[in-house]
Amino acid sequence: MARALPPDCTSQDWGITYAELERQFDRFEQVYGIGGAAGNLNGQILAGGNPFEGPRSRDYPNPPMKESHAGALFSHAARSLGFRPFPMPSATMTRAYTNSYGLTMGPCVYCGYCAPFGCEMGAKASPQTAVLPALLASPNYELRTLANVVRVNLDSDRRRAVSVTYVDSRGREVEQPAELVLLTSFTFNNVRQMLLSGIGTPYDPVTNRGVVGRNYAYQCSSGVTAFFEDKVFNSFMGSGGLGRVIDDYNGDNFDHAGLGFIGGGFISAASLGSRPIVSHPVPAGTPTWGSAWKRAVAHYSDRSMSIGVGGAVQSYRTNYLDLDPTYRDAFGLPLVRMTFDFHENERRMSDFLTGRCEEIAKALGPSKIDANRHRGRYSIVPYQSTHNTGGAVMGADPATSAVNKYLQSWDVPNVFVIGASAFPQNAGYNPTGTVGALTYWAADAIKNHYLNSPGPLVT
Ligand SMILES: Cc1cc2nc3c(=O)[nH]c(=O)nc-3n(C[C@H](O)[C@H](O)[C@H](O)COP(=O)(O)OP(=O)(O)OC[C@H]3O[C@@H](n4cnc5c(N)ncnc54)[C@H](O)[C@@H]3O)c2cc1C
Ligand code: SF4
């Protein structure tokens, strides 16, 4: 295995097992009303679900989303090639759902205006719909909005957080005393807060020492668009999590012998809803303006479908986060700086997985297929994914991780750093289910262990 690792790869163990986390995945799914089909219930493989998933103790609380035309075609083609398609699990409600906090979310109507918008049906699960209304009713909970945290203040020996400084909406600096601090401000800002506050040793890529900023990773997206003359998709309908997916080429689910890379990804046909203006797929070679372009847009905008890859990215010594030496925010504090590029391992993986997408697309009989492979260097310009991971990774060794398996800072034990910043590398899956499970896991450890005896939970 060691020989298979690409040069400079710093991917590492999580310091925790799936079995330890399973109960927390289940809690997250129940609170957030996830819709899906179980593929492995207590070790029994079930038809219709993901046969590769770890054993789960319960089914999803809601049924899967409906099947779109693109999803049905994908499933049919994938099955004909021997793959095992299943419905993409989704945090958009597939029916009206009341969770254990007594909060009700409405059913999704597949309106197609999903990903960057609020939901007119209250059908998207998020802290705002699934948790906060219950918390706000609690007398010992206070939500302070527009409070921009700029620093966690430590005591003189830098082993204990004593307060948090934030700037409120009127520009006033407020110091809030704290017994316990949870950094939950997304991957980048978690790492930035740690660096600005002096929590843990900053990562140095030259010596490969230090941990805060280490193992930043991203997701490796690619895919194909298939164009048809004889199929219409009604793609104005859709939903953020509507799709069919295969896991046959993820992680270790397939034989990597001779392929020259490690890792993998999920392959899916998603029907997110093609919005006007923003969505106008045309085959490669179409003029980029004028009447020929207009004709192609009119013809193909509803006669095309995409098959995409959400691919893993390993961690590398050369990919990291640190404080920017030049750029500062409105408070004069350094911004976080991201140093990142895809490596040969990811390019090979992407090539291979995109080839599998092409195979599935060909089985559908399109008139044209365009492949979008990873070539050249990483560019921040086109939208690829919001799935950023690492920088304050969890693990069993303080020399290579910023937080222990309970997401507790090794250096300042009354600070917990929660989020995908804890992922040691980016797996070939979307992150939020794991973020949710880790959050419950850390909260349990705080409630059941830390509060009884404040101090390091792992020594
Ligand atoms: C368009 C889009 C589509 C996505 N689709 C998917 C998907 O299909 N599947 C999936 O798994 N994931 C998806 N994600 C990613 C998902 O949203 C994140 O994984 C998830 O929200 C991370 O949760 P978090 O609590 O760690 O951070 P966040 O949800 O980002 O919450 C961080 C909070 O911290 C606050 N904050 C930040 N800085 C400060 C500060 N200095 N002071 C005070 N507060 C601060 C922010 O305002 C925010 O409320 C998507 C994201 C986007 C934007
Ligand atoms: S598609 Fe998205 S925005 Fe529209 S109803 Fe469903 S969850 Fe809400």
Side-chain angles (χ1 to χ4, degrees):
M1 176 63 195
R3 277 185 296 126
L5 286 181
D8 279 339
C9 181
T10 50
S11 293
Q12 63 192 48
D13 282 345
W14 289 61
I16 192 171
T17 63
Y18 170 75
E20 286 176 289
L21 270 188
E22 193 279 330
R23 195 171 77 86
Q24 314 299 350
F25 276 109
D26 177 67
R27 275 171 86 180
F28 178 74
E29 287 172 4
Q30 298 292 323
V31 169
Y32 285 79
I34 309 299
N40 182 341
L41 203 51
N42 296 311
Q44 193 194 347
I45 304 298
L46 302 179
N50 180 3
F52 298 103
E53 72 176 354
R56 52 170 56 246
S57 50
R58 255 201 286 191
D59 202 345
Y60 291 96
N62 280 318
M65 301 207 85
K66 293 181 190 300
E67 192 165 58
S68 66
H69 185 34
L73 291 174
F74 171 84
S75 295
H76 183 72
R79 248 182 245 114
S80 74
L81 294 168
F83 304 132
R84 282 151 284 186
F86 59 94
M88 187 184 280
S90 162
T92 45
M93 297 309 103
T94 51
R95 58 184 173 188
Y97 179 70
T98 302
N99 70 11
S100 50
Y101 295 127
L103 299 174
T104 300
M105 291 169 271
C108 170
V109 293
Y110 303 84
C111 75
Y113 285 85
C114 202
F117 305 104
C119 174
E120 72 274 20
M121 296 299 292
K124 286 184 191 175
S126 72
Q128 284 85 341
T129 53
V131 180
L132 275 172
L135 269 181
L136 286 169
S138 172
N140 60 359
Y141 179 77
E142 182 191 341
L143 175 65
R144 291 186 205 165
T145 55
L146 301 175
N148 192 344
V149 173
V150 290
R151 190 170 57 249
V152 178
N153 303 300
L154 307 183
D155 68 1
S156 52
D157 66 6
R158 312 197 72 70
R159 291 281 301 160
R160 195 178 133 71
V162 293
S163 63
V164 163
T165 298
Y166 69 85
V167 178
D168 74 7
S169 59
R170 292 163 65 187
R172 296 174 304 193
E173 199 170 285
V174 179
E175 185 173 347
Q176 173 62 51
E179 290 287 321
L180 181 61
V181 174
L182 273 59
L183 291 178
T184 63
S185 55
F186 195 59
T187 303
F188 294 114
N189 218 42
N190 281 353
V191 174
R192 183 172 181 242
Q193 293 294 344
M194 291 181 85
L195 292 169
L196 288 174
S197 310
I199 300 169
T201 311
Y203 174 63
D204 178 350
V206 177
T207 59
N208 201 20
R209 295 226 171 90
V211 287
V212 184
R214 184 175 180 275
N215 280 24
Y216 168 75
Y218 193 46
Q219 208 171 25
C220 188
S221 323
S222 62
V224 302
T225 306
F227 298 90
F228 299 87
E229 309 306 318
D230 59 345
K231 292 183 175 59
V232 172
F233 290 92
N234 285 344
S235 51
F236 53 88
M237 293 187 285
S239 178
L242 173 60
R244 291 298 185 266
V245 56
I246 60 168
D247 217 14
D248 298 69
Y249 287 111
N250 215 335
D252 284 337
N253 297 348
F254 62 109
D255 185 359
H256 287 67
L259 294 178
F261 66 85
I262 59 168
F266 65 88
I267 294 177
S268 69
S271 301
L272 310 180
S274 302
R275 299 196 306 280
I277 302 176
V278 78
S279 174
H280 39 68
V282 288
T286 304
T288 52
W289 60 282
S291 51
W293 177 77
K294 285 183 193 163
R295 261 197 313 279
V297 170
H299 184 69
Y300 285 117
S301 66
D302 206 22
R303 290 189 178 86
S304 57
M305 62 174 273
S306 296
I307 298 177
V309 174
V313 171
Q314 304 307 316
S315 289
Y316 296 94
R317 186 171 171 169
T318 47
N319 290 343
Y320 59 95
L321 304 175
D322 65 356
L323 291 178
D324 196 288
T326 309
Y327 296 104
R328 290 173 180 262
D329 68 8
F331 308 112
L333 298 168
L335 298 180
V336 74
R337 179 172 69 170
M338 177 183 125
T339 303
F340 177 81
D341 204 355
F342 293 112
H343 283 228
E344 190 54 28
N345 183 77
E346 283 61 51
R347 291 194 195 97
R348 287 184 189 167
M349 181 198 76
S350 174
D351 232 28
F352 177 79
L353 293 177
T354 315
R356 305 292 74 73
C357 295
E358 269 179 305
E359 277 171 15
I360 299 172
K362 273 186 194 144
L364 296 171
S367 58
K368 300 176 187 68
I369 299 176
D370 282 354
N372 159 31
R373 287 191 147 74
H374 260 287
R375 303 241 186 263
R377 313 207 65 165
Y378 169 76
S379 161
I380 202 162
V381 179
Y383 175 80
Q384 295 148 75
S385 132
T386 39
H387 304 160
N388 306 275
T389 60
V393 311
M394 61 195 291
D397 181 356
T400 53
S401 55
V403 295
N404 64 26
K405 68 188 282 190
Y406 302 106
L407 277 58
Q408 178 184 40
S409 161
W410 289 108
D411 299 272
V412 184
N414 68 335
V415 171
F416 289 72
V417 188
I418 317 271
S421 49
F423 294 11
Q425 49 276 336
N426 205 324
Y429 295 96
N430 290 347
T432 310
T434 308
V435 170
L438 286 174
T439 305
Y440 280 115
W441 167 257
D444 259 7
I446 292 169
K447 190 174 155 204
N448 299 328
H449 304 296
Y450 180 87
L451 293 180
N452 296 333
S453 171
L457 292 171
V458 178
T459 46

